Amino acid sequence: MPEPPPWRRFGQESSTGADGADVEPPRPYLIDQPQIDVVNAALHLRRPVLVTGHPGSGKSSLAYAIAHELSLGKVLHWPVNSRSMLSDALYQYDAVGRLRESTLSRDGSGPEPDIGDFIRLGPLGTALVPRDLPRVLLIDELDKGDIDLPNDLLTVFERGEFEIPELSRLTRERDVVEVHTAGSDVPVPVRGGMVRCTEFPVVLITSNGERDFPPAFLRRCLRLNLPDPSEQRLRDILAAHLGADAPARVDELVRAFLARRAPDELATDQLMNAAFLRLGGVDTDAEGLLEALFHQLGGTV
């Protein structure tokens, strides 16, 4: 198999940040000063950022760029779909598994299993665990979720906390319970059944503009629209990912891409795919190949 593009390499080793948290490998990301100002304002205000833009404009990648720049560890990712519920993003309780283990322990006269072994925090719940540095949470494609989901998020965003009722009922007998977190087997303590952040997470919410959000939700977010990159920005992106000489070597592809590009019809990563193949010696002018690479994103397939 040939080497994959830099942006399609998986299983790379992560490094360790100053606070001991895992840090993902750096990903080149270019952004203009007006967009940087919005992100910085959100960091100062501890407010979520609602990121919009055409497909391929770098909405999701922005979260990973922030996590790398600020050494905030791995990004917590919540991909939203039509079945997504707030409760799943906060925590999951395996009641059936606990019942089974309890029955087995009684039959074998073993110790009663700990309830914390059957509770795992979701990406949003993990982001609210108290720590010195915030985590980066990417809520991807919120507009695909249920119509009430944005309103369900409001209380959590405003209070920075949520309750685990299965644990709050135990407070008389046990105040602290250790539970698992998303993407890690290292347990964290939960006191009194409440998870309450000390630093509000860096929350980026992406939307493809498929529907509107309620005013109460929009009021609590900072809006950031990522524009389609200019010709010079496209060349800078190619240079960052494929080498300083890449733009000159694929100049013809850049011009062909710009001639075909229209809103919602072509994405930047389509140009990057074509450039990677051309630089690798593939004849992108072969019959049908360029059409496959620069296929329109809108319309009927």
Side-chain angles (χ1 to χ4, degrees):
M1 291 293 291
E3 285 292 317
W7 53 89
R8 293 293 296 170
R9 294 173 185 170
F10 304 98
Q12 300 182 65
E13 292 292 330
S14 59
S15 57
T16 302
D19 62 347
D22 287 339
V23 179
E24 296 183 341
R27 307 182 183 194
Y29 191 85
L30 303 179
I31 188 173
D32 293 325
Q33 191 59 48
Q35 288 79 46
I36 293 175
D37 292 340
V38 174
V39 173
N40 287 338
L43 293 175
H44 281 286
L45 296 172
R46 272 61 170 181
R47 288 290 186 181
V49 183
L50 178 59
V51 189
T52 57
H54 293 136
S57 57
K59 298 187 294 294
S60 300
S61 300
L62 178 58
Y64 295 90
I66 294 173
H68 170 67
E69 288 291 330
L70 301 181
S71 299
L72 297 180
K74 288 187 175 181
V75 173
L76 295 164
H77 185 204
W78 179 22
V80 176
N81 57 50
S82 60
R83 300 178 301 278
S84 297
M85 296 186 296
L86 177 62
S87 56
D88 295 330
L90 292 176
Y91 77 98
Q92 294 180 334
Y93 172 51
D94 185 6
V96 175
R98 185 188 182 202
L99 177 61
R100 181 180 64 248
E101 293 298 322
S102 297
T103 302
L104 292 174
S105 65
R106 285 194 296 268
D107 292 343
S109 300
E112 184 77 12
D114 190 274
I115 186 174
D117 293 337
F118 303 94
I119 293 178
R120 182 175 293 275
L121 302 182
L124 176 54
T126 301
L128 294 175
V129 170
R131 52 175 55 86
D132 294 334
L133 292 175
R135 292 289 296 272
V136 177
L137 171 66
L138 171 60
I139 303 179
D140 220 357
E141 299 187 334
L142 182 63
D143 50 334
K144 293 187 181 299
D146 183 82
I147 192 172
D148 292 325
L149 186 56
N151 283 328
D152 293 341
L153 287 166
L154 292 182
T155 301
V156 178
F157 284 164
E158 285 300 291
R159 299 178 62 88
E161 66 180 18
F162 69 96
E163 181 185 18
I164 302 178
E166 292 83 358
L167 298 184
S168 57
R169 301 189 195 108
L170 304 175
T171 51
R172 291 183 180 178
E173 17 179 306
R174 193 169 165 196
D175 186 41
V176 178
V177 177
E178 291 192 334
V179 302
H180 298 286
T181 58
S184 173
D185 290 326
V186 179
V188 296
V190 175
R191 184 178 300 276
M194 295 294 298
V195 178
R196 182 180 295 109
C197 70
T198 51
E199 280 290 341
F200 189 77
V202 180
V203 181
L204 272 80
I205 305 168
T206 70
S207 170
N208 290 319
E210 295 186 4
R211 66 177 176 84
D212 296 330
F213 294 116
F217 175 79
L218 294 176
R219 181 174 64 83
R220 290 164 171 84
C221 300
L222 269 69
R223 299 286 300 274
L224 173 62
N225 183 68
L226 296 180
D228 292 331
S230 63
E231 178 178 350
Q232 184 57 50
R233 177 61 79 199
L234 288 173
R235 296 180 184 277
D236 293 341
I237 292 172
L238 290 174
H241 286 274
L242 298 173
D245 62 338
R249 295 172 61 189
V250 296
D251 181 72
E252 179 187 344
L253 279 177
V254 175
R255 296 185 183 280
F257 177 83
L258 290 170
R260 295 168 179 241
R261 185 175 69 173
D264 295 326
E265 291 188 0
L266 287 180
T268 304
D269 60 347
Q270 291 176 280
L271 173 61
M272 294 169 61
N273 291 336
F276 177 79
L277 292 177
R278 173 70 65 86
L279 294 173
V282 176
D283 181 12
T284 54
D285 294 325
E287 183 179 357
L289 181 54
L290 194 60
E291 294 297 328
L293 292 167
F294 288 170
H295 63 88
Q296 293 186 354
L297 303 180
T300 305
V301 178

